[in-house]
Amino acid sequence: MTAPHTRVVITGLGAITPLGNTPEEFWQNLLAGKSGVAPITLFDASHLKTRIAAQVKNFDATKYVEPKDARRMGRATLFALAAAKDAIRDAGFGERFNNNERVGVVLGTGIGGFPEAIKEHHEYARQGTGRVSPFLAALILPNMSAFFIAQHYGAHGFNSTIVTTCAASNDAIGLATEVIRRGDADVMLAGGTEALISDIIFVAFGAMRALSTRNDEPTRASRPFDKDRDGVVIGEGAAVLVLERLEHARARGARIYAEVLAYASNSDGYHFVAPEPHARGAIRAMQDVLARAGITPAQVDYINAHATATPLNDPIETLAIKHVFGAHAYRIPISATKSMIGHSMGAAGALEAVACVMTLRDQKIHPTLNLDNPDPACDLDYVPHRAREAPVKIVLSNTFGFGGQNACLVLAKYVP
């Protein structure tokens, strides 16, 4: 068995995003303060109150899988496969892991192939059973993305799928880290994927009045911490990180991006959508992850906020940060990736983890877009409008999901 203090490092990145389909393109567009939000083209949204989203653009699945195989997979699975392939290559591995039983996969997702399920149900209702795809189960089951990654790239170790909505990616990265630390793997592919831009999703979230309706200015719609914020902008995409036992990475001469110091997760147990008013769960998750990382609040150099741009979430997260960090909260730069790529639910934490890794690599913090009129209840340093150079050794990434799911990660600049 591997000792509990085993160090886990990040050696590869892959990302399919509304701001580009490589981690580098994604990162440079984040630094430039570009928005990936635009009118919806994946379905006819003309009858809906919300007609904008952060869609993945210029994605060609056949660059990653054969066309016949692509037809058997849902959009979320194709995103995940693409991100995994790029991450594996980035980490310096071959096309496959040669049936390595010490390589595993943990992915997070919110809904898996639910949009494909709805589409196929419509086909069944219109034309009967003869028109339903024989690959329907593979299209819709949430664990199919993790399965296809394992199948395609020969990862035959621990395999799991986390479905904790907006916290799912952080939970996946955290679980993958624990799998390595307990000695069950040397390498884990971890992250999240989501493809939820479909009419039924927009109807559902619209009925809760959770979505921004700023249709006339889509690039200005996602406004975390701004007093004029009016709700979530839905996004999509996937990110996969290669996590590796440090000794394993060193032995093969791998480039190391960053280190995973700790992970913590809990539940509000309060409401299926609204955050607990006193932020007890968020506070405890942040306190626990700092304690497990063996660091003090003053050692955190940057926070990537959950920051959904909803009326309730942003001030509650601000309250939680103030409680955990005290006076230091006002000195920590905080930014909101969702201001540029919207909220991709189960993929959000993984995409934000990529941004955190790049922050550690480049010592630059991407801005929070559209923070024109700060909410008085949100009075911390959210790095508005422009990227900032800063010395960053330790980052905290927050994800707080529907159902009161709270999951936090601490990543650090790698020190041999």
Side-chain angles (χ1 to χ4, degrees):
M1 289 292 288
T2 305
H5 62 272
T6 293
R7 297 175 69 182
V8 177
V9 294
I10 299 166
T11 58
L13 302 172
I16 304 297
T17 86
L19 286 178
N21 297 331
T22 68
E24 197 62 50
E25 185 181 8
F26 171 50
W27 176 237
Q28 294 305 322
N29 283 328
L30 286 178
L31 289 178
K34 294 184 178 180
S35 173
V37 183
I40 293 168
T41 61
L42 290 174
F43 68 93
D44 180 7
S46 59
H47 60 294
L48 298 178
K49 290 183 178 179
T50 295
R51 301 183 292 278
I52 55 174
Q55 298 178 181
V56 168
K57 305 163 188 71
N58 305 314
F59 177 71
D60 181 3
T62 60
K63 288 174 55 179
Y64 302 93
V65 296
E66 293 295 326
K68 64 180 178 62
D69 292 327
R71 291 191 293 271
R72 302 174 181 180
M73 300 175 190
R75 186 171 172 88
T77 292
L78 292 169
F79 288 164
L81 273 173
K85 184 171 185 176
D86 288 346
I88 292 165
R89 183 187 299 116
D90 186 47
F93 290 105
E95 288 293 311
R96 288 180 60 83
F97 288 106
N98 300 319
N99 299 329
N100 193 331
E101 296 179 0
R102 300 282 299 169
V103 180
V105 182
V106 184
L107 282 190
T109 189
I111 61 171
F114 184 72
E116 284 85 3
I118 295 297
K119 180 181 177 182
E120 289 297 315
H121 175 74
H122 288 331
E123 287 297 316
Y124 164 68
R126 282 197 299 266
Q127 303 188 57
T129 58
R131 301 300 297 176
V132 173
S133 169
F135 305 108
L136 180 56
L139 289 168
I140 68 176
L141 292 175
N143 70 315
M144 285 296 103
S145 295
F147 159 72
F148 278 117
I149 288 174
Q151 181 193 53
H152 273 245
Y153 305 122
H156 292 179
F158 184 94
N159 189 294
S160 188
T161 299
I162 308 294
V163 189
T164 49
T165 63
C166 322
S169 285
N170 274 10
D171 280 330
I173 295 167
L175 176 57
T177 299
E178 297 302 325
V179 170
I180 293 173
R181 284 186 173 153
R182 73 191 187 205
D184 288 346
D186 296 317
V187 179
M188 292 292 295
L189 307 175
T193 188
E194 205 78 272
L196 69 170
I197 300 176
S198 67
D199 54 1
I200 191 63
I201 298 299
F202 277 71
V203 169
F205 284 94
M208 293 191 296
R209 299 181 181 178
L211 300 182
S212 172
T213 57
R214 201 181 289 263
N215 299 300
D216 295 336
E217 42 184 5
T219 62
R220 293 172 55 79
S222 184
R223 311 181 66 82
F225 306 113
D226 190 89
K227 72 179 181 64
D228 297 321
R229 66 191 182 278
D230 70 331
V232 169
V233 173
I234 296 292
E236 64 174 356
V240 171
L241 291 73
V242 176
L243 307 184
E244 201 164 345
R245 183 167 54 84
L246 175 59
E247 291 78 4
H248 188 274
R250 280 176 170 168
R252 65 182 191 87
R255 175 205 46 216
I256 296 173
Y257 279 110
E259 182 172 357
V260 183
L261 290 191
Y263 153 72
S265 181
N266 65 37
S267 171
D268 285 350
Y270 171 74
H271 190 274
F272 80 101
V273 175
E276 198 276 327
H278 302 289
R280 292 187 180 94
I283 289 168
R284 186 157 47 90
M286 284 190 277
Q287 289 174 333
D288 287 349
V289 79
L290 296 183
R292 291 172 188 175
I295 60 174
T296 66
Q299 290 177 272
V300 174
D301 300 308
Y302 165 65
I303 298 173
N304 189 290
H306 184 57
T308 58
T310 56
L312 288 178
N313 178 86
D314 294 1
I316 293 296
E317 184 171 12
T318 299
L319 174 68
I321 292 170
K322 289 179 182 179
H323 184 97
V324 173
F325 290 89
H328 185 56
Y330 291 89
R331 296 188 288 270
I332 306 174
I334 302 164
S335 61
T337 309
K338 294 181 183 71
S339 66
M340 289 175 270
I341 62 169
H343 192 355
S344 54
M345 303 298 171
L351 293 168
E352 289 157 3
V354 170
C356 289
V357 170
M358 295 303 206
T359 296
L360 291 163
R361 185 193 73 175
D362 291 353
Q363 301 292 280
K364 294 179 180 178
I365 296 170
H366 76 68
T368 297
L369 204 61
N370 301 319
L371 185 49
D372 301 324
N373 302 296
D375 184 336
C378 301
D379 59 347
L380 301 177
D381 177 8
Y382 305 110
V383 192
H385 307 306
R386 292 178 181 82
R388 181 186 303 172
E389 293 188 4
V392 180
K393 294 181 180 179
I394 296 177
V395 303
L396 167 67
S397 181
N398 288 336
T399 53
F400 306 129
F402 292 129
Q405 304 282 164
N406 305 304
C408 298
L409 288 173
V410 170
L411 308 180
K413 191 173 180 65
Y414 170 65
V415 177

